[in-house]
Amino acid sequence: MAEQARLMEQVAVHDLDMMESYPAGAEQVEMAVASVVLHEPLLPALRRLAQEEESARRYGL
């Protein structure tokens, strides 16, 4: 679990770096909201896809 926590910390840093690339104010708030709404369901889906690919690579499934 420590490795997953470290990786998610990297995701958080990336998210905030991306948000800060927008002009201050309303655009940053919009980016933060869009990130939560759009990216929250995306991360588990990406994890499942990665697990499927790794299973296929390891076990030929």
Side-chain angles (χ1 to χ4, degrees):
M1 282 297 186
E3 180 66 15
Q4 287 91 340
R6 186 185 64 73
L7 292 169
M8 292 313 297
E9 182 180 6
Q10 291 176 357
V11 170
V13 168
H14 179 269
D15 287 348
L16 291 175
D17 287 347
M18 186 171 45
M19 184 191 69
E20 289 176 350
S21 71
Y22 288 84
E27 289 186 25
Q28 284 186 350
V29 172
E30 288 175 12
M31 179 58 197
V33 170
S35 179
V36 168
V37 170
L38 299 174
H39 293 142
E40 287 293 323
L42 181 63
L43 290 175
L46 289 173
R47 181 179 184 203
R48 283 190 298 275
L49 286 171
Q51 287 173 335
E52 288 176 17
E53 186 169 322
E54 184 61 17
S55 292
R57 186 188 67 77
R58 286 185 187 201
Y59 310 116
L61 302 175

